[in-house]
Amino acid sequence: MRLLIITTVFIIIMLHVLSLRAQTASNEIEPPKNIILMIGDGMGVAQIQASMLAKGDQLHMQQFSEIGFMTTHSYNNGVTDSGAGGTAIATGRKTRNGMIGMSHDSVPAPSMLEILAAKGLATGIVVSCAVTHATPASFIAKNINRNNYEEIAVDYLKVPVDVVIGGGIKHFAARKDYRNLEKELIQSGYQVYRSLVEVSADKYYILTDSVHPPSMIKNRGNFLPKATQLAISTLSKNESGFFMMVEGSQIDWAGHDNDSAYLVQETIDFDEAVGEALKFAIQDNNTLVIVTADHETGGLTLSGSYKSAVLQPKLKFTSDDHTAVMVPVMAFGPGADSFKGFYDNVDLFQKIMALVAE
Ligand code: MG
Ligand code: ZN
């Protein structure tokens, strides 16, 4: 009897000690100061592997060691579009294909950009498409239809985003309602530029094209990596940290076109932007970089044939649309560990929020 009491007391004390230790351990996880979320639109594992082969195993992405996989279905379809896919990542809500920044029953949802801006972080959007397009719009706008570009542009003025770089002049300054949003932005304290120049201001828009910047094949050059580097240099001035979303927008379009050369060039360009983010994160030591995709496009596979011991991959598309296959999630920096494993796209939002919750 006495032995039983002593054992019970001992077990209770040990449980208490262990729970205290667990609490201390969880308190020791420092949240990242900065978060750089990078989305390769339509970038599945075959897109990455094709680019690894084209670049002789020299992709920046190959530096990641914390890797997970994410399912991407939308509320109403096993295959998501970029509106619902972007919305799932940005807001943690499943929505119907075609919708932006709201739940399936049209309830607007705050995006992680808005939530983190409210916590005092500087925020940015850097894309190689119009900034009004579905993926960036998911972090900014609330709209039942992703094609309402002019309404989406108006939503930019309602969100405290500090740096915006991409195309889309037409939706801001050549509108059906004759509003000039570029002028309105200037009135509310932004600098507005129409080419990628060195900027010393803290709040600015760089809208380089009427709608979308050109493809890599049509000489976009180093626009995306350079814009990424510029945005980081601006946003990192904020003492409370920053959040930015960078999109390699045209990997998806190459997939729709079943165009291998276009696809590999866009993925390598996106990877150069990843390289800029990693370079900053490694020296800063307090930045979480997450690289993922909203879905896969093209049903791409590599049907290889070996010629003299060298893999000559043949890129083979099995679709001209998005597919339901899982996409990779790569993470580096404080909290990177929590992105390992298998989960769903809405969980990515929860995982990021869990890291920054006070
Ligand atoms: Mg996109
Ligand atoms: Zn697409």
Side-chain angles (χ1 to χ4, degrees):
M1 185 61 191
R2 182 177 284 180
L3 185 65
L4 185 66
I5 292 169
I6 292 170
T7 315
T8 311
V9 169
F10 178 75
I11 288 171
I12 289 170
I13 291 170
M14 280 316 290
L15 283 173
H16 190 67
V17 167
L18 284 174
S19 86
L20 275 180
R21 197 175 280 173
Q23 274 175 23
T24 327
S26 72
N27 288 343
E28 277 166 9
I29 299 170
E30 278 288 312
K33 181 183 177 194
N34 311 307
I35 299 174
I36 305 175
L37 173 62
M38 312 190 73
I39 301 177
D41 195 318
M43 185 183 74
V45 286
Q47 283 78 356
I48 296 170
Q49 194 180 353
S51 308
M52 280 164 62
L53 289 161
K55 230 187 154 199
D57 257 349
Q58 296 291 317
L59 285 192
H60 298 287
M61 282 184 230
Q62 289 174 255
Q63 293 176 66
F64 287 98
S65 55
E66 319 288 313
I67 297 170
F69 284 95
M70 174 168 101
T71 46
T72 65
H73 62 277
S74 70
Y75 176 80
N76 65 329
N77 203 312
V79 176
T80 191
D81 82 316
S82 292
T87 299
I89 296 170
T91 72
R93 310 289 207 288
K94 289 280 184 192
T95 196
R96 295 173 198 277
N97 284 359
M99 288 167 72
I100 295 287
M102 48 176 60
S103 62
H104 67 94
D105 46 2
S106 313
V107 179
S111 75
M112 64 173 75
L113 183 145
E114 293 169 283
I115 294 166
L116 296 172
K119 281 178 180 281
L121 275 73
T123 60
I125 295 280
V126 174
V127 296
S128 49
C129 62
V131 300
T132 43
H133 208 248
T135 311
S138 298
F139 289 80
I140 300 289
K142 322 288 168 202
N143 208 295
I144 203 149
N145 186 340
R146 58 180 282 181
N147 299 320
N148 290 334
Y149 297 119
E150 295 190 357
E151 289 177 14
I152 289 166
V154 171
D155 280 356
Y156 266 90
L157 278 78
K158 301 173 187 164
V159 172
V161 56
D162 300 286
V163 173
V164 177
I165 309 178
I169 295 168
K170 185 179 153 189
H171 307 139
F172 283 78
R175 300 165 53 85
K176 292 191 192 84
D177 64 4
Y178 299 109
R179 270 177 81 175
N180 186 329
L181 303 187
E182 284 186 325
K183 266 192 188 149
E184 292 182 33
L185 283 167
I186 292 165
Q187 279 156 10
S188 52
Y190 286 91
Q191 307 275 344
V192 177
Y193 303 87
R194 286 192 175 181
S195 62
L196 189 60
V197 287
E198 284 303 319
V199 182
S200 56
D202 294 339
K203 287 172 65 162
Y204 55 87
Y205 275 62
I206 299 178
L207 301 176
T208 53
D209 294 84
S210 172
V211 184
H212 302 303
S215 66
M216 288 306 289
I217 289 169
K218 295 210 170 120
N219 294 322
R220 190 169 73 240
N222 64 355
F223 170 81
L224 190 68
K226 211 172 149 197
T228 302
Q229 194 220 331
L230 175 65
I232 290 172
S233 72
T234 305
L235 297 172
S236 61
K237 289 191 265 178
N238 187 37
E239 305 251 306
S240 311
F242 70 87
F243 166 80
M244 71 186 282
M245 194 285 290
V246 179
E247 186 199 19
S249 317
Q250 300 194 27
I251 300 167
D252 173 64
W253 305 348
H256 285 288
D257 289 355
N258 287 5
D259 184 330
S260 306
Y262 183 13
L263 182 132
V264 167
Q265 285 195 41
E266 291 296 334
T267 309
I268 290 175
D269 173 63
F270 176 61
D271 183 67
E272 290 297 324
V274 171
E276 290 296 336
L278 283 176
K279 190 167 51 172
F280 173 79
I282 288 164
Q283 55 124 59
D284 176 68
N285 215 18
N286 206 355
T287 299
L288 173 64
V289 181
I290 301 164
V291 180
T292 188
D294 50 354
H295 52 75
E296 194 273 348
T297 307
L300 184 64
T301 191
L302 307 181
S303 68
S305 63
Y306 285 89
K307 283 182 187 165
S308 57
V310 180
L311 180 62
Q312 305 282 326
K314 229 169 87 193
L315 276 62
K316 197 170 170 184
F317 294 92
T318 62
S319 166
D320 61 2
D321 207 342
H322 305 172
T323 68
V325 295
M326 292 184 291
V327 292
V329 182
M330 298 159 255
F332 173 85
D337 202 46
S338 57
F339 298 90
K340 292 197 281 198
F342 289 92
Y343 44 93
D344 188 47
N345 56 5
V346 290
D347 301 327
L348 186 70
F349 172 88
Q350 300 300 346
K351 285 172 186 291
I352 294 171
M353 287 298 115
L355 284 175
V356 295
E358 270 134 335

